[in-house]
Amino acid sequence: LSNAPNWLDILEHTNGNQFTSGNCAISILNQISDEIEEMIEDGTLDAAAMNQMSAQLEKLRQKMADALRDGDTQKATDLRSEAKKIAEKMNEMMQNVHQNISPKVQEIIESAQKESEQLESEMSTLAGVMDGEGSHAGKLAEKRQLANKLRNNRKLRTLCQKLGALRQAWSQRKRAKKSKASYESIVGAEFTNNILKAFPTELALASSDAGRKLFALKFSQRTLLTKSYDAKRTDLDRGPICMYIDSSGSMTGERELWAKAVALAVIEQARLDRREVQIHLFDNRIGLSKTFKPSDKGDKAIDFVLSWHLSGGTSFESVLRHAVSAKIDKAADILMITDGYSSTNQTTRNQFKLFCESTGTQMTSIVIGGGSTDSCESFSDSCFAISDLSVDATADSLMKAIR
């Protein structure tokens, strides 16, 4: 291993990181074990003969010890000579193993480093949902536990990739929204030294020699007449985020992973905003429900997302009735994700709209997979159709759905 051209690369990758070092070592040993197993299967290495010779050496060692204890040096010498021949044979077989594995060592090291980097990237993605408690030695057990979850669950690894892309797209849009909403409307005037906000008449002072002196004086004394702005905010007094996620049989596959990635992304953002998240899975009725508070540990969300399964049909009626009867806190953001179509009763829709108006609740529906939005539009403030489950379209919808 140490003679491989890329050995220094993996040393640099693992230097000073106990978890990464152990992870790479396990990966390398596992791959070498796989190579040896293949050699045994194709007959290149006779494992049975190796085991037999090892047992013979142990017996010869015991007999030689007995002979020396009895003072029979000639017998001990003969036994040593016999053992030496067996050891040479074993060494010859091991050299054969070494020659077969050596050409693949560089590939094994590269694979171990790539696997380690991918695992760390996925763990970093999940870390946004987990608690931010640092990476000191005391947390190694938790990191190992998370790494084992990732190694043993291919669906979770795929989910991490979707979550990472969705998080990045959503974060970019939140930053863009914040900058656009900074100065939305002028509400008055104030005295400051902010030249960017200064009225044109103040800036005009600097056009003459005498005016420049006055402008400099007013600037130094913070008495420039400047515009006072007020950004219109839609995120004040925000209530909980209530997600109704379609768990009918038609959501199997890519749609299920997408919905789970959205759920984790929303939970993560809600924790940052100190907002509660309520997730309700529905098919023909409301099934499993779970509430996530800002103080909850992140692995609770991961375990929940991995645990839900799909079955049944689709009923929007059950969603509307549940939202009204659940007595959701004021100013809630309700987000429904579905790929289906379902009729709703006019009376139920009227009750739901009255509930939203009286509580300041906002209802958004996201219809995926090319389904019709007609039914959802009859009771939603906003309705979005995402046919290709693209990250950008999803992030755009979430920006509008969650205040």
Side-chain angles (χ1 to χ4, degrees), residues 155-156 159 245 256-257 259-261 263-264 267 279 292 299-309:
K155 184 177 287 187
L156 179 58
L159 177 60
I245 300 178
E256 177 191 3
L257 284 174
K260 289 181 174 182
L264 284 177
I267 292 171
I279 295 183
F292 300 92
D299 52 358
K300 177 182 176 183
I302 297 171
D303 292 339
F304 170 72
V305 164
L306 291 177
S307 69
W308 86 52
H309 59 279

Side-chain angles (χ1 to χ4, degrees), residues 48-304:
M50 286 285 287
N51 289 334
Q52 185 178 0
M53 285 188 285
S54 179
Q56 288 176 346
L57 278 178
E58 179 59 27
K59 289 179 181 179
L60 289 173
R61 186 192 67 79
Q62 186 60 46
K63 288 180 180 180
M64 188 168 60
D66 294 340
L68 289 173
R69 187 176 61 251
D70 296 338
D72 193 344
T73 55
Q74 182 58 45
K75 184 177 180 180
T77 300
D78 293 340
L79 290 169
R80 183 181 291 108
S81 177
E82 185 179 353
K84 183 177 180 181
K85 291 179 181 179
I86 294 175
E88 288 175 349
K89 180 64 176 176
M90 291 180 69
N91 185 58
E92 182 180 335
M93 294 177 71
M94 292 305 298
Q95 286 296 324
N96 185 41
V97 171
H98 183 269
Q99 289 174 4
N100 279 275
I101 290 182
S102 290
K104 301 178 181 179
V105 167
Q106 183 171 350
E107 181 180 337
I108 288 174
I109 293 176
E110 288 177 355
S111 175
Q113 184 170 344
K114 183 178 179 180
E115 180 182 330
S116 173
E117 290 171 348
Q118 182 179 356
L119 183 62
E120 288 176 11
S121 174
E122 291 163 354
M123 288 179 66
S124 176
T125 298
L126 287 184
V129 190
M130 304 287 283
D131 292 323
E133 297 177 346
S135 56
H136 51 81
K139 298 301 174 187
L140 277 175
E142 295 177 13
K143 292 181 75 174
R144 291 192 193 101
Q145 185 179 12
L146 179 57
N148 287 332
K149 278 185 180 181
L150 285 163
R151 287 195 193 96
N152 300 326
N153 195 320
R154 185 175 297 277
K155 184 177 287 187
L156 179 58
R157 303 192 76 160
T158 305
L159 177 60
C160 284
Q161 296 171 6
K162 294 184 180 298
L163 175 60
L166 178 56
R167 175 193 292 160
Q168 182 179 8
W170 194 2
S171 177
Q172 289 173 347
R173 282 158 176 76
K174 287 183 75 69
R175 287 197 298 269
K177 180 182 178 182
K178 188 176 293 185
S179 63
K180 289 177 182 177
S182 294
Y183 308 122
E184 199 166 280
S185 58
I186 303 172
V187 297
E190 58 185 347
F191 290 110
T192 70
N193 64 348
N194 191 329
I195 298 176
L196 295 176
K197 295 183 181 181
F199 280 98
T201 52
E202 296 289 79
L203 297 175
L205 289 173
S207 62
S208 64
D209 291 338
R212 276 194 289 272
K213 294 179 181 179
L214 178 58
F215 182 86
L217 177 63
K218 297 181 74 172
F219 178 82
S220 65
Q221 295 180 345
R222 302 177 65 87
T223 56
L224 286 173
L225 188 63
T226 60
K227 304 165 188 174
S228 176
Y229 295 92
D230 180 33
K232 294 178 181 177
R233 301 287 298 275
T234 59
D235 58 350
L236 300 177
D237 300 322
R238 294 174 297 178
I241 300 171
C242 301
M243 297 184 69
Y244 289 90
I245 300 178
D246 190 342
S247 59
S248 61
S250 61
M251 288 284 285
T252 302
E254 189 75 9
R255 298 176 186 182
E256 177 191 3
L257 284 174
W258 179 88
K260 289 181 174 182
V262 170
L264 284 177
V266 170
I267 292 171
E268 176 186 348
Q269 185 58 48
R271 290 184 71 195
L272 296 175
D273 294 340
R274 309 301 298 170
R275 299 180 71 183
E276 179 182 287
V277 178
Q278 301 169 10
I279 295 183
H280 309 285
L281 305 181
F282 75 95
D283 41 48
N284 293 320
R285 58 183 177 81
I286 301 299
L288 187 63
S289 294
K290 199 80 171 179
T291 298
F292 300 92
K293 298 185 179 298
S295 58
D296 286 341
K297 289 184 175 294
D299 52 358
K300 177 182 176 183
I302 297 171
D303 292 339
F304 170 72

Side-chain angles (χ1 to χ4, degrees), residues 314-329:
T314 303
S315 171
F316 297 162
E317 185 85 10
S318 64
V319 171
L320 302 186
R321 289 179 177 176
H322 182 273
V324 173
S325 63
K327 297 180 180 180
I328 299 171
D329 291 342

